[in-house]
Amino acid sequence: MSGQDEAAAIAPPSTAFWADPRLRGIVFQAIALGLVVWLFWTMASNAADALKRSGQATGWSFLWNTAGFDIGFKLVPYTARDRHIDVLVVGLLNTLLISGLGIALATLLGFVIGIARLSPNWLVSRMAAAYVEFVRNVPLLLWILFFYLALIPVLPPVKQALSLGDTVFLTNRGLYMPKLHWTDGAGSIVWALLAGIALAVATTIWARRRQRATGKRPPDLLIGFALIVLLPVAAFFAAGAPVSLEFPTLKGFNFAGGMSILPELVALLFALTIYTAAYIGEIVRSGIEGVSKGQSEAASALGLSRGQRLRLVVIPQAMRIIIPPLTSQYLNLTKNSSLAAAIAFPDLVHVFAGTSLNQTGQALEILAITAAIYLTISLVTSGLMNIYNHMTRLKER
Amino acid sequence: MKTALSAVLIAAAAVATAHAQSGSPTLEKVKKDGYLKCGVSDGLAGFSNPDAQGNWTGIDVDVCRAVAAAIFDDPNAVRYTATTAKERFTALQSGEFDLLSRNTTITMQRDVALGLEFTNVTYYDGQGFIVKAGSGVASVNDLNGATICTQSGTTTELNVADYFGSHGMQYQILTFEKEAEALSAYDSGRCDAYTTDQSGLYAARLELSDANANVVLPELISKEPLGPAVRQGDDRWEDLVRWTFYAMVNAEELGVTSQNIDEQLNSQNPEIRRLLGIEGDFGEQLGLTKDWAVRIIRKVGNYGEIFERNVGSGSPLQIARGKNALWTNGGLQYAPPIR
């Protein structure tokens, strides 16, 4: 009872309801929400009506129809007798493959370029600057076509393949390498490898503790490397050599067996990497320049070398500035990978929003699915980057 | 009072005749715009290809020109939109143009599920392969294990999968968005064969670095009847396009050409007289004029003339009439009579 009385006492006694900002806010937000819902509902029903009137097929059942076409590069088994939904999976995995590899390589190259731009060496910094300006001022599609059309004629035809001891072959059909052929008992090697990695990590942690306690660091890199190599090798012999190599051999038009890397994949990856690296280089440069000069001067005063200054003092602080724009570049790279259609790399847009769309004619459904998938990939990427950003941000204690 | 009544009567009569004459919203729109909007390919010699002056030429382009000639007596009253194989149906469905004349294969799926109507078969084609002359491939069956390049978004991908699958042959497919990239990949040796409709192979061969080092394999692995398409739901417009093409085939059968059309106007042959609108009012029933076919033949030509000019003896492609000869000459081109 007394609570109510208090509230009544606090509230201004004679405000009309339309002058109450809180109530007004709720009303306007409700109206805005209603308008948005009405707009989307109208658009959706309008589209459905138009499709029905023009006699086009609608619905989602096409996903379970036989696709009828083959795909040249796939990470999972797929044949022409599989369904459109399988095409979606093949395309999605190819998109994830190219995006994942592209992000990793572009980040490495981008950091090298960004740091090189700030190098005290005049030649190195000028070359990095020239790289950035040259690469990012030419459209990406041109880079992709350029690398592809330049790569193919340079590589030898199958019959004159460049070979490395008759095990690795380089031709204009791709790079052919021996493939690991697993038999029973091979699992123990994987476990040994995982155990080796875990032990190596543990060694590093132990070495850090020792360094803090005694000032001397045990040779943890050497020990870790030995663990990662020796444990699987020991397991290989203990299990009676269960893994053999399958070599590629020339058969008719092409090499059969082994595993291959297609020139389309290489050209696309190369173009995406060098293009995005130019932007990442600029982001890294601005991030490093954003760290106050006093930080590296203080680090010098403590006797750290240039490498140590960068690695231990400047870059950790620069990361806070770098990560948000870096996330945008990762998203751009993922979306740009859809230019693959130009050079026959079967990514999601090429096979699903391309061939499947054309065979079924269900543009709205297929584009909606494709857009939803890109949205999901982008949101997951930016979610992960936000977690990382949260970890590296300035912690005020 | 009397004048008001007569005004109403005249207006009613005008509405009635206008309705009887066309009744096609598409034709009304085209007439109002003053030009026909036509979807063509992004460059296929002999079918739809811009020449050095930027004018579109080819069989498919001549179909557009014939429709424009029938409507406006001006074959140049056409605005062309170049489309890729992937975009073409969506562009027609969304009304970007009113006639798709773009070496498009008629299939059941496209006819019944895409909201399109195909009007005619303007060219009987089939899918073939082109290979390097020295590769030792003499037949499609020698292509086991080969890498094959083609354009995406076409029936060719499906035909290759069907043929190689049913013959137990291995292959790797590379599909490019544009024909130019697919061809250049084949030319540089990335693939062992390039596949598309055989007519397209003859055109493609001329674009290769050394045309004589490449041979078109003799077999066809599919039926590819190519023809123009319109949107579903405007039957009168569909009729107009269909009979524009039939008029050109009938003209060839009756020996009416763009050269002798003026003499033929005096012909006593009742079939020719009906075609040229001297007898009957077939043109008016289409929403056009009596002399609709005269306009088409004079300005564009009959089917034989179009064929020879674009892909036959009068063109670099040198494709023989073959299946596209008139039925009277052992081919498949056959038009229902105008009567």
Side-chain angles (χ1 to χ4, degrees), chain A residues 111-300:
Chain A
F111 269 77
V112 171
I113 298 290
I115 292 168
R117 272 209 76 172
L118 296 171
S119 165
N121 184 324
W122 187 87
L123 192 64
V124 170
S125 71
R126 285 303 115 164
M127 273 171 60
Y131 170 89
V132 168
E133 292 309 330
F134 185 60
V135 168
R136 71 173 178 176
N137 287 314
V138 174
L140 176 58
L141 183 59
L142 279 186
W143 282 121
I144 293 177
L145 288 175
F146 173 78
F147 282 120
Y148 186 58
L149 299 177
L151 188 68
I152 297 296
V154 171
L155 295 173
V158 172
K159 300 269 154 58
Q160 289 120 46
L162 290 175
S163 79
L164 196 73
D166 275 347
T167 51
V168 178
F169 298 92
L170 183 65
T171 80
N172 58 13
R173 303 298 156 83
L175 178 67
Y176 290 84
M177 293 174 299
K179 188 167 74 176
L180 293 177
H181 196 74
W182 302 89
T183 45
D184 286 344
S188 61
I189 300 174
V190 178
W191 287 114
L193 180 69
L194 290 177
I197 292 172
L199 285 174
V201 171
T203 312
T204 310
I205 294 170
W206 166 77
R208 258 193 219 153
R209 286 218 185 115
R210 290 281 298 173
Q211 187 180 23
R212 272 189 208 141
T214 65
K216 262 194 185 165
R217 193 172 178 129
D220 58 321
L221 277 181
L222 195 70
I223 298 171
F225 184 72
L227 281 170
I228 291 173
V229 174
L230 291 181
L231 277 179
V233 170
F236 174 76
F237 287 110
V243 177
S244 58
L245 284 176
E246 182 189 309
F247 292 100
T249 46
L250 186 61
K251 234 172 86 182
F253 286 101
N254 213 336
F255 285 93
M259 62 177 189
S260 62
I261 300 175
L262 296 185
E264 287 77 27
L265 176 68
V266 175
L268 182 65
L269 186 58
F270 209 68
L272 284 173
T273 301
I274 66 136
Y275 185 77
T276 314
Y279 288 91
I280 293 181
E282 283 298 275
I283 290 169
V284 169
R285 179 181 67 93
S286 66
I288 292 175
E289 283 185 333
V291 176
S292 138
K293 209 171 169 221
Q295 294 284 334
S296 58
E297 282 171 356
S300 302

Side-chain angles (χ1 to χ4, degrees), chain B residues 264-273 279:
Chain B
Q264 295 285 2
L265 282 171
N266 306 319
S267 168
Q268 293 310 308
N269 182 339
E271 284 188 81
I272 294 179
R273 290 173 70 84
E279 285 173 18

Side-chain angles (χ1 to χ4, degrees), chain A residues 54-57 67-68 70 72 80 148-149 152 172-173 253-254 262-264 341-344 350 354-355 358-361, chain B residues 85-86 93 109 113-115 137 142 144-145 147 152-154 157-158 161 171-177 184 188-190 192 232:
Chain A
S54 66
Q56 293 179 44
D70 277 296
Y148 186 58
L149 299 177
I152 297 296
N172 58 13
R173 303 298 156 83
F253 286 101
N254 213 336
L262 296 185
E264 287 77 27
I343 57 162
H350 187 35
T355 310
N358 212 273
Q359 307 300 357
T360 61
Chain B
K86 266 165 77 169
Q93 286 158 354
Q109 158 85 5
L114 297 191
V137 175
D142 297 337
N144 192 7
T147 305
S152 64
T154 66
E157 282 176 73
L158 306 183
Y171 73 108
Q172 191 190 31
I173 189 106
L174 281 181
T175 56
F176 293 79
E177 196 171 26
S184 103
S188 60
R190 175 67 183 90
D192 301 299
Q232 220 170 53

Side-chain angles (χ1 to χ4, degrees), chain B residues 6 10-11 81 149 156 173-174 178 184 189 212 229 253 259 269:
Chain B
S6 54
I10 289 167
T81 306
C149 281
T156 52
I173 189 106
L174 281 181
K178 292 210 173 121
S184 103
N212 295 325
E253 192 179 331
Q259 306 300 319
N269 182 339

